[in-house]
Amino acid sequence: MLIVVFVGVIPVLLIGFCVDWFCFFVVLFVYVFDFVLFLKWFCVFVIFFEKALAGGLE
């Protein structure tokens, strides 16, 4: 009886563990992706701002 319970619990734990890790990686990926996107737009904005500033000063 104990073996049956043990064998029944292992896959549930493994699946739960995998789902947790999967969710963790998805969240991590979304954070990294958003951060990279933010950096890209920040750089574009800075370059545009510097060009506009340089163009305005000339």
Side-chain angles (χ1 to χ4, degrees):
M1 184 63 199
L2 193 64
I3 292 168
V4 173
V5 170
F6 194 63
V7 169
V9 165
I10 286 175
V12 172
L13 285 176
L14 279 175
I15 290 166
F17 187 70
C18 289
V19 168
D20 281 352
W21 272 104
F22 180 71
C23 289
F24 172 74
F25 277 115
V26 167
V27 169
L28 195 70
F29 176 75
V30 168
Y31 268 107
V32 170
F33 187 72
D34 278 356
F35 186 67
V36 168
L37 211 65
F38 169 75
L39 278 180
K40 190 189 99 174
W41 281 111
F42 185 73
C43 289
V44 168
F45 178 75
V46 166
I47 289 164
F48 177 77
F49 193 71
E50 281 182 348
K51 280 186 178 173
L53 216 63
L57 289 172
E58 279 175 4

